[in-house]
């Protein structure tokens, strides 16, 4: 985790699935120019024999919040789930939330419950053998050959900017690739945990911005569903607001960092911090 300098209102940045702290490189200078103290969480590695849980991710956020006063919590994509859970559990520790094209959670049903159990089991199984997988990927050269290529390909879909060669370097590591796989496998289980948390914790009254992007959703029906889903998420918070960007893509903080910086500033003003 990157620690901030002293002084100024705090901001904690939480990267999405498979991303690291470097995903915020274009946003951080704008925030610091506005006088913010900026902390960044990095990607979690494969856990020590245990699948990631919502509780674990909330604890990671809490460690990041320490020393930042009452920061604005900014979360991208899948990181919105633990960010919301943290805000529900510790609303007094935050100034507000900015959710950047957040993942949506389906309340589900019996089938979703079964899927969540499989998700937790599979993530735990991969975590248990993570040292072996990492060794195979690194020694065989598969991580070095395939990881950066896969990341550049993903970025071309999620961003209007050409992939930065430096941003692909971490994906040549088996540890990073296995960590991303574990996060992906655990995601349904983490989503099910958030559904359970929502049932027993009130929505925080903090100011919340939900930033919706539609430029990389391929169909009209998909764009409508994504926009409505985010509208409902924003409406679930008493002080939630949605902002829609029709031509932007999923890596909004990379393509248009000023938009995210403006949302942070707006949330800070609304919270009085």
């Amino acid at each position: 985790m990157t620690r901030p300098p002293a002084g100024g209102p705090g901001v904690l940045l939480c990267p999405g699935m498979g991303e690291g702290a470097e995903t915020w490189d274009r946003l951080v200078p704008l925030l610091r120019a506005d006088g913010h103290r900026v902390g960044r969480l990095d990607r979690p590695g494969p856990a020590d024999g245990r699948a990631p849980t919502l509780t674990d991710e909330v604890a990671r956020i809490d460690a990041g919040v320490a020393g930042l006063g009452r920061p604005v919590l900014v979360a991208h994509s899948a990181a919105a789930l633990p960010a919301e859970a943290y805000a529900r559990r510790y609303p007094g520790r935050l100034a507000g939330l900015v959710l950047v094209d957040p993942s949506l959670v389906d309340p589900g049903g019996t089938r979703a419950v079964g899927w969540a159990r499989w998700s937790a089991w599979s993530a735990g199984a991969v975590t248990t053998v993570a040292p072996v997988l990492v060794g195979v990927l690194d020694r065989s050269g598969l991580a070095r050959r395939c990881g950066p290529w896969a990341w550049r390909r993903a970025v071309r879909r999620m961003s209007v900017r050409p992939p930065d060669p430096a941003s692909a370097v971490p994906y040549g590591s088996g540890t990073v690739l296995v960590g991303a796989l574990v996060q992906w496998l655990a995601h349904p289980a983490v989503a099910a945990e958030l559904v359970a948390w929502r049932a027993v914790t009130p929505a925080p009254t903090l100011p919340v911005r939900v930033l919706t992007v539609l430029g990389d959703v391929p169909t009209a029906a998909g764009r409508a569903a994504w926009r409505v889903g985010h509208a409902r998420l924003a409406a679930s918070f008493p002080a939630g607001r949605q902002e829609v960007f029709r031509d932007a893509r999923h890596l909004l903080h990379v393509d248009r960092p000023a938009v995210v910086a403006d949302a942070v500033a707006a949330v800070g003003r609304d919270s009085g911090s």
Side-chain angles (χ1 to χ4, degrees):
M1 184 184 70
T2 305
R3 298 305 306 171
V11 180
L12 181 63
L13 306 174
C14 303
M17 187 184 300
E19 296 175 274
E22 68 280 356
T23 193
W24 304 104
D25 281 353
R26 299 193 70 231
L27 174 62
V28 169
L30 301 182
L31 296 174
R32 287 180 175 160
D34 284 341
H36 290 96
R37 292 177 292 158
V38 182
R40 291 192 268 186
L41 294 183
D42 208 347
R43 64 176 61 82
D48 50 356
R50 187 179 65 181
T53 67
L54 190 66
T55 300
D56 291 339
E57 290 303 294
V58 166
R60 290 182 71 242
I61 291 174
D62 199 42
V65 166
L68 285 172
R70 290 177 60 245
V72 175
L73 185 58
V74 182
H76 177 237
S77 193
L81 276 60
E84 178 186 337
Y86 187 85
R88 286 175 174 272
R89 185 164 187 175
Y90 302 118
R93 299 182 187 180
L94 296 177
L97 283 176
V98 176
L99 304 179
V100 183
D101 208 32
S103 299
L104 292 173
V105 175
D106 181 0
T110 55
R111 182 179 177 184
V113 169
W115 178 240
R117 289 173 179 165
W118 181 89
S119 163
W121 176 86
S122 61
V126 172
T127 300
T128 300
V129 298
V132 175
L133 289 177
V134 169
V136 169
L137 288 169
D138 286 340
R139 286 193 300 271
S140 67
L142 283 172
R144 185 179 63 257
R145 290 194 298 270
C146 300
W149 171 84
W151 177 247
R152 288 192 297 268
R153 185 178 176 86
V155 169
R156 289 188 185 100
R157 293 196 305 269
M158 297 186 297
S159 172
V160 298
R161 293 175 59 85
D164 179 357
S167 72
V169 170
Y171 298 90
S173 160
T175 298
V176 171
L177 295 182
V178 173
L181 174 62
V182 170
Q183 291 175 55
W184 178 71
L185 290 171
H187 182 71
V190 171
E193 286 185 86
L194 179 58
V195 171
W197 281 44
R198 285 173 173 173
V200 296
T201 57
T205 57
L206 301 166
V208 177
R209 292 292 191 282
V210 176
L211 308 184
T212 301
V213 303
L214 302 176
D216 52 2
V217 182
T219 67
R223 290 189 291 274
W226 194 242
R227 180 171 182 164
V228 169
H230 278 179
R232 289 173 177 164
L233 176 63
S236 71
F237 299 102
R241 290 179 55 185
Q242 180 189 30
E243 297 179 32
V244 179
F245 303 91
R246 292 176 177 82
D247 298 326
R249 296 187 186 180
H250 190 53
L251 295 177
L252 179 68
H253 55 291
V254 174
D255 292 343
R256 298 169 64 179
V259 165
V260 182
D262 288 346
V264 170
V267 165
R269 288 192 300 271
D270 291 348
S271 70
S273 62

